[in-house]
Each structure stands twice: as C-alpha cells, then as structure tokens.
Amino acid sequence: MHQPTPPRRDRPARTHLQTALELAKVGMPALPLRKGKVPFGNCRTCARVACGGRPNMKTPGPCQCPAVCHAWAAATTDPAVLASPAWALAWRHAVAVAYHPGGAGLTVVDLDNAAAVAWARQTLPATRTVPTTRGEHWIYQGVMPSANQVRPGVDIKSRMSYARWLGPGTGPLADLPSTVRALVGREETTPARGAVVSSSPGRAEWDRTVATGCRHTERYIRAGLQRGLAMVRSHTDSGAGSQAFGVARFLAAQHTTCPGPCGLDAIGRQIIAAAVSVGVPEAYAERAVTNGLNGMGAAE
C-alpha cells in the first residue's frame, strides 16, 4: 500500500493542532502530548478505565468520552475530533504531537542509542528513518504487537502504542520484515497460565531486612509491589514482559533519592516470578526487569 508523504516538521507558524490535522489528512491518527512528552491522563469519568476503554484497545469497551483519554487509543484522523472544544485545552498545553503507528498501518522500531542504531544497520533491512534525540526511528509498512525493551535500547511501537512525530524521515518505506516480528514473537506466543516456561523454584519475597537504607515504610513498599505484580499477572494473553519492564522502572524510580540498599534485587525477583507465572520465558523476563530497574539509576 502506498504511504502518502506526511507533512514536514517544524514550519515556523504551525501549531501542534495544525500538525495533527495534516497528519490526519494522510491517514495517520494523531494526538497531543503533554509535558514529559507523554499522553494526557484520563478524565474523571475514564479514570482507571472505569468507562470500559475505547473500542480499539486490547479490552474493547463502550467509552464515548469526547476528551483525550486512553493515551494512544485516543489518536484519531477525524478533524472534527482533533479540533473539538473537548480537545482544545490539551492542545493549549501540548508540547508535542504523537501518532498511532498501528492505526496508520505502520511499525516503528525505536532505537534509543547509538549501539541500538548500529545493531539495526547490521541486522535489519533498510527503510525510512527518522532521527530522534538519542537515536533513530526505523519505520516499516505493516502492523504487529508492540513491546518495550525487546533488546537493549530497542522498543517496538505499532498496534498498541504511540510514537512522537519527529518529521517524515528519509528513504523508501520497506515492508515489515520477519526479523522485526521475531523480536516480540517469542513473548506474544508464550503459553497461557498452566504451561509455564520455567521450572525455577519459588523466590523469596522482599522484606525490610534487605532494605536497611530505604526511606519508605514497609507498608508503602508492599502496597506498590503488590499492585505492580497484579498488573503483570493480568496480562495472561500477551504483553506481560513489557508490563514487567514498566513496573520495574516505576518502582525503581521511587528509590532514586534513597541512600540504599532498598532491596530492589528482591523486588526484581518477585516481578520476574510474576511474569514467568503467566508464560513469559524466564530469560526474557529477567532482561526486561533488569533493564527496568537499571534504567532509572536507582540505589541497589
């Protein structure tokens, strides 16, 4: 399928809304990003996905909220929605524009550093590339599951994720190769609960004795950890490895000002065990959690 050339980046007079409208014209669902270059949070009605979610999410729901809710799932090509009063406040506070690759029939291989870019140049077929702050986006024609940290410095953004709009890039658009699909295929096809890919014995739980330098209360740590483990275990079909990475990164961030030790290694082992319990290969889970913990530079 021919992919229309999207608008150029950073014309002086263009607002973020105008950029989004131009993206929509060429079939790229767009949405605003707030400070931190992340999607706007849900409104009160949609908080904790109480509305059921949008129809294009993994768990389809009845949400008809006119606001910019549900992150990537809010992205749209409808100019009436993009320019609606319900989105106006978000555009006033937007710092960037994002698009939903899967909704545009695309997959973005997000290469986060020079080493990842070098790996891609040696491993993946050439395609359209877009420079980023720290690396490159390699864009392919085709859709696949999204996943974080499929290898060091490499994320896959497609069916259930967003990518920041950084310009049209250069080079012809290549078809999505099997080498990219294989990066997440292992996790996405893992067996369901009851056929776990690991025979590791039970792991010890975190307790205060391994966190003598942590400034948080035991109740605070346990509550956050249990919520995170529940989130990982809820991904029984796919995505548990990516969720484990996100939980590890979030929990590690809570300890960046602690003198340490905080027992993050024990916390990490429990997150890994949760991912393995829903079918994630142990090596994959260990890599995802290690990357999540180390990515925040937290005290160990």
Side-chain angles (χ1 to χ4, degrees):
M1 181 180 73
H2 174 68
Q3 183 68 28
T5 301
R8 293 183 62 83
R9 181 189 180 195
D10 293 338
R11 291 176 186 168
R14 180 182 291 118
T15 66
H16 293 312
L17 174 56
Q18 288 171 331
T19 297
L21 289 170
E22 292 190 4
L23 289 172
K25 286 180 181 178
V26 295
M28 300 180 73
L31 73 155
L33 297 180
R34 59 182 171 88
K35 185 178 180 180
K37 299 171 185 175
V38 295
F40 285 80
N42 288 355
C43 69
R44 292 183 179 180
T45 301
C46 298
R48 300 182 182 274
V49 201
C51 62
R54 296 202 187 275
N56 56 332
M57 297 177 73
K58 180 181 177 182
T59 304
C63 180
Q64 299 296 324
C65 178
V68 191
C69 294
H70 307 300
W72 63 269
T76 180
T77 57
D78 187 339
V81 174
L82 291 169
S84 68
W87 285 46
L89 182 62
W91 287 120
R92 284 199 294 272
H93 291 280
V95 299
V97 179
Y99 66 99
H100 176 211
L106 303 173
T107 291
V108 176
V109 181
D110 184 3
L111 307 167
D112 203 34
N113 52 50
V117 172
W119 166 83
R121 290 174 179 171
Q122 294 176 353
T123 309
L124 304 181
T127 189
R128 183 176 299 171
T129 62
V130 180
T132 68
T133 305
R134 295 177 296 184
E136 294 178 353
H137 284 175
W138 284 36
I139 305 174
Y140 291 96
Q141 181 76 57
V143 178
M144 64 178 289
S146 302
N148 291 327
Q149 292 293 308
V150 295
R151 56 173 291 113
V154 182
D155 295 336
I156 303 297
K157 300 181 176 184
S158 186
R159 188 174 295 154
M160 297 177 67
S161 62
Y162 69 92
R164 189 157 60 99
W165 172 249
L166 296 168
T170 58
L173 194 65
D175 289 335
L176 182 62
S178 58
T179 48
V180 173
R181 292 187 184 276
L183 291 172
V184 300
R186 192 178 177 200
E187 180 190 357
E188 295 297 331
T189 58
T190 51
R193 189 187 301 271
V196 176
V197 190
S198 174
S199 58
S200 297
R203 302 173 186 271
E205 292 189 0
W206 178 94
D207 62 44
R208 193 73 202 183
T209 63
V210 297
T212 56
C214 183
R215 66 183 180 86
H216 301 290
T217 66
E218 181 171 350
R219 180 178 179 181
Y220 177 90
I221 299 299
R222 289 190 181 280
L225 176 58
Q226 291 307 313
R227 284 196 297 269
L229 296 179
M231 292 171 66
V232 174
R233 295 188 186 109
S234 70
H235 288 70
T236 56
D237 296 325
S238 66
S242 298
Q243 184 67 67
F245 165 79
V247 168
R249 181 171 61 177
F250 175 80
L251 293 180
Q254 312 310 305
H255 299 273
T256 54
T257 61
C258 293
C262 295
L264 292 186
D265 53 344
I267 288 174
R269 286 195 295 271
Q270 285 188 248
I271 300 172
I272 292 168
V276 170
S277 74
V278 290
V280 178
E282 188 163 10
Y284 185 105
E286 289 179 346
R287 183 171 68 248
V289 171
T290 298
N291 287 336
L293 293 177
N294 293 340
M296 300 305 298
E300 287 291 327

